[in-house]
Amino acid sequence: MAKDYFKVFDFIFVGAGISGPFIANDLCKGGANCLMLEAGNHYTRRTYPTNGLDGTSQMYWAGGLELGHDAKIAFLRPKVVGGGSIMNQALVDRFDDVALDDWKSVSGIKDFSMADMATWYDKAESEIEIQEIPAKFRNKNAEIFDQGFKNLNFDNAPLRRAQNDCRLEEGNCCIECLNGCRLGSKQSTPETVLKTALENGLTLASQVEVTQIIAKNGDIRVIGRDAMGGQVSYRAHNLVLGGGAIGNARLLLNSGFGKKLPHIGQGFFCHPQFMSFGIYDEKINSHLGAFQAFKSDDKGFRQEGFKLENVYAGPEGIALLVPDFGRIHHEYMEKLSHFACIEVCTRDTNPGQIKVNRKGKALIRKEQNKEDINRYEKGAKVIDDIFKSTGAKEIVHGRFGIGLHLMGCCAIGTDPATSVIDPEFRLHGHGNIFAADSSIFPNAPGINPSLTIMALSKKAAAGILRSR
Ligand SMILES: Cc1cc2nc3c(=O)[nH]c(=O)nc-3n(C[C@H](O)[C@H](O)[C@H](O)COP(=O)(O)OP(=O)(O)OC[C@H]3O[C@@H](n4cnc5c(N)ncnc54)[C@H](O)[C@@H]3O)c2cc1C
């Protein structure tokens, strides 16, 4: 897109992940003139990288994993048009009373109730297709998960995935979709709301990283860097922040907003996830067919602050997690087709923090406290029992935690001293800067976040349209 110093847009969006396209779609339909700036590349289903290594290095910030200060959790932060909706496992869950009641009390916002949110979940779900994996397509890894739950008398439930046709009857192995779905089945934003936003007049500029926001006299100026390293600058009456937890915090801090809003960067959560592997005599071939079908649905687990998921990853991811080096590591990897995998995802209680260094780079501080470690250990114990009860010969626990659900740092709330975004989704003190993405989460819900990001974004868009 040509550099345009003179045109004034109604709205500029930072980030084309999940939230940005959901809001832009509704605003464009309402007649707004919108520009969306995304730091990552714009792939299509024909151009996604074809292997895990290329996918990771080309579609994540820092070329893949980013580490916190103590290197105990590795964070994966998507950088691509479509953001997390391209890379994620597409599991879509509504929050429960536990999550919403906590949000109500920590934010002071009464609207966080099942009744109010149901309206917005309905609207979000009307934009995507959601399916469960039919029983006949569950693979051996899923069967082990289900059998283990039955053996131990725990409750599980089928996963709800945002997908429309994974062509499983043709023998498709859908683990591929973690690097972008080449079938167009995964309901990523480029396949859904971003597509319609573009049809409704949205201007999208990829490979433009926004580096600074200047908000003056009711106007917004956005400064960024394009793919060639050149400076670009755009103007608008309003700004929508959709850069995710770390992206928004970094940009706001680098733009000086932290002086008036001291909570920017605080309250970082990530649902640390730990994969464990059961190694069986027979081949499990967890990578074949539908790679995920079940989740835990056990009230006891929810009270204890963890959930389990039937999951798998590409060989490059598993190689990182399997312990040891050299010959021993090689021997594990040779047995890859005999691995079953279950993940424990913890509802973290210890808030982390994002700061920026003098060069403007994001620094992540995120520790697991005693309670968080306790939650992980309880989940890992159940996984041990599941694998043992289904005949695993060896059990291997992944070497470190992974942070995929990056949340918070610009918490929503009524009080500007302890929050960043007000109940109308505006930056406190700035009537024309909005956010409804993962950065506004006031704490970790312990439930997959993306459907709630979509629902909050629909709600924010409706509020913006009402006030125009
Ligand atoms: C591997 C993986 C699996 C996951 N699985 C699930 C799952 O099954 N279910 C679920 O609910 N959630 C899942 N998640 C999490 C979910 O995808 C995220 O919570 C969600 O994408 C966050 O949406 P968002 O709109 O807040 O930000 P994102 O989707 O992260 O989008 C933010 C976008 O903003 C861009 N950006 C940031 N800063 C700038 C800047 N300064 N200038 C320009 N652009 C910028 C980024 O490049 C990015 O593309 C998963 C995540 C990963 C990585």
Side-chain angles (χ1 to χ4, degrees), residues 242-390:
I246 298 177
N248 286 352
R250 177 184 177 216
L251 183 56
L252 288 171
L253 290 171
N254 282 336
S255 304
F257 288 87
K259 288 186 198 111
K260 288 208 173 138
L261 292 169
H263 214 69
I264 294 173
Q266 296 192 36
F268 174 57
F269 297 91
C270 68
H271 291 160
Q273 303 181 19
F274 301 83
M275 288 166 93
S276 298
F277 308 98
I279 306 176
Y280 293 75
D281 280 342
E282 71 271 29
K283 280 195 174 183
I284 308 300
N285 286 329
S286 298
H287 59 290
L288 294 182
F291 83 107
Q292 286 190 285
F294 286 110
K295 62 177 176 182
S296 61
D297 189 26
D298 196 276
K299 286 203 176 68
F301 294 2
R302 182 76 176 126
Q303 271 163 9
E304 305 272 20
F306 70 87
K307 67 187 178 85
L308 301 187
E309 255 171 41
N310 152 227
V311 71
Y312 205 54
E316 71 288 344
I318 292 175
L320 267 178
L321 296 171
V322 166
D324 236 305
F325 300 95
R327 185 176 52 78
I328 299 177
H329 187 271
H330 188 90
E331 280 168 10
Y332 275 126
M333 292 306 288
E334 274 189 334
K335 288 186 271 191
L336 203 55
S337 54
H338 296 253
F339 279 30
C341 177
I342 301 177
E343 169 189 277
V344 52
C345 175
T346 54
R347 185 181 189 201
D348 44 336
T349 61
N350 194 29
Q353 189 173 5
I354 303 301
K355 287 185 177 177
V356 287
N357 66 11
R358 262 184 276 162
K359 290 185 176 165
K361 189 176 176 298
L363 305 175
I364 306 170
R365 175 170 278 273
K366 173 73 186 160
E367 276 162 27
Q368 288 187 284
N369 59 13
K370 241 178 162 179
E371 174 60 23
D372 295 347
I373 292 169
N374 190 24
R375 290 175 177 209
Y376 160 66
E377 285 173 349
K378 284 184 175 155
K381 162 83 176 65
V382 178
I383 294 177
D384 277 344
D385 294 343
I386 291 174
F387 283 146
K388 280 182 201 152
S389 81
T390 50

Side-chain angles (χ1 to χ4, degrees), residues 137-153:
F137 292 124
R138 289 175 192 153
N139 70 8
K140 188 99 177 64
N141 191 30
E143 281 168 18
I144 288 172
F145 186 95
D146 189 35
Q147 189 56 52
F149 270 69
K150 287 194 175 106
N151 295 347
L152 302 170
N153 276 324

